[in-house]
Amino acid sequence: MRIRLKMAGDGGEDLQPLAEPVGEGGQAYFDRIKYAGVPIKVESKAADQLQMAWKVYYDPMILDATGSRLDGTGEKMVEARIKEYLKQIPFNGIYAVQKHEDYVQATEGVVLCPVQWAKHKYGDYGWMNIDTLITPDAGYLRFADEADLEIEFIK
């Protein structure tokens, strides 16, 4: 048996892997205070990668076909809410597709927003489907590239 401790640093607006000396310092600290014979591994990894496709049915009296508010008070509100949800999940918390949909659907002007498909990957492993929920290996999920998020807007 081994205890695995996941850690991440606060990079201002978002989580990020700890700098190597900080991670090594964390490992040294836990090696010093742990009970004898209990192996501990301290890890700080880049976020698990996420890819998703959404269909967003919207109210054309509130949002346009990019998810921006017609009154000019917010650009790409839907995309922002999708990304915002990922940041508010507690570190090493469970990601649930249904809760993500609920969060985005609370955006004014969004009528319905089913996720069409979702995949995640960590490390050198391949992409894996997310059917209902997962616990990210690194402790958090992010889109690595803008192309990893597809949104089809339907009025």
Side-chain angles (χ1 to χ4, degrees):
M1 182 169 86
R2 174 176 75 178
I3 296 174
R4 179 180 178 212
L5 296 172
K6 298 178 189 180
M7 301 173 76
D10 182 3
E13 293 185 23
D14 202 1
L15 296 174
Q16 63 186 22
L18 295 173
E20 194 169 319
V22 177
E24 290 172 0
Q27 181 72 54
Y29 171 76
F30 286 108
D31 285 343
R32 182 176 295 164
I33 67 164
K34 71 180 176 75
Y35 289 108
V38 178
I40 293 178
K41 178 162 172 73
V42 175
E43 295 180 344
S44 184
K45 299 179 177 181
D48 289 15
Q49 295 178 38
L50 180 65
Q51 290 182 338
M52 303 184 85
W54 293 70
K55 271 192 182 177
V56 176
Y57 297 86
Y58 67 97
D59 182 343
M61 293 175 55
I62 299 173
L63 299 176
D64 67 16
T66 67
S68 299
R69 291 186 54 90
L70 294 176
D71 64 8
T73 60
E75 290 186 33
K76 297 189 176 185
M77 298 295 295
V78 174
E79 180 179 334
R81 290 284 287 184
I82 290 170
K83 292 177 180 179
E84 182 180 287
Y85 177 77
L86 297 174
K87 291 182 179 182
Q88 64 88 37
I89 298 172
F91 182 76
N92 208 40
I94 294 172
Y95 169 81
V97 174
Q98 182 64 52
K99 287 187 176 188
H100 201 169
E101 289 174 343
D102 293 345
Y103 188 84
V104 174
Q105 191 164 323
T107 307
E108 187 178 10
V110 173
V111 178
L112 194 62
C113 58
V115 171
Q116 299 304 293
W117 55 264
K119 297 178 183 181
H120 74 107
K121 78 177 267 184
Y122 58 93
D124 293 331
Y125 292 95
W127 289 98
M128 297 167 275
N129 290 329
I130 303 172
D131 296 319
T132 308
L133 52 88
I134 60 159
T135 301
D137 186 68
Y140 58 115
L141 284 164
R142 297 297 184 263
F143 297 104
D145 191 283
E146 291 296 319
D148 290 341
L149 174 59
E150 298 175 15
I151 306 171
E152 178 185 357
F153 291 96
I154 303 165
K155 46 178 158 166

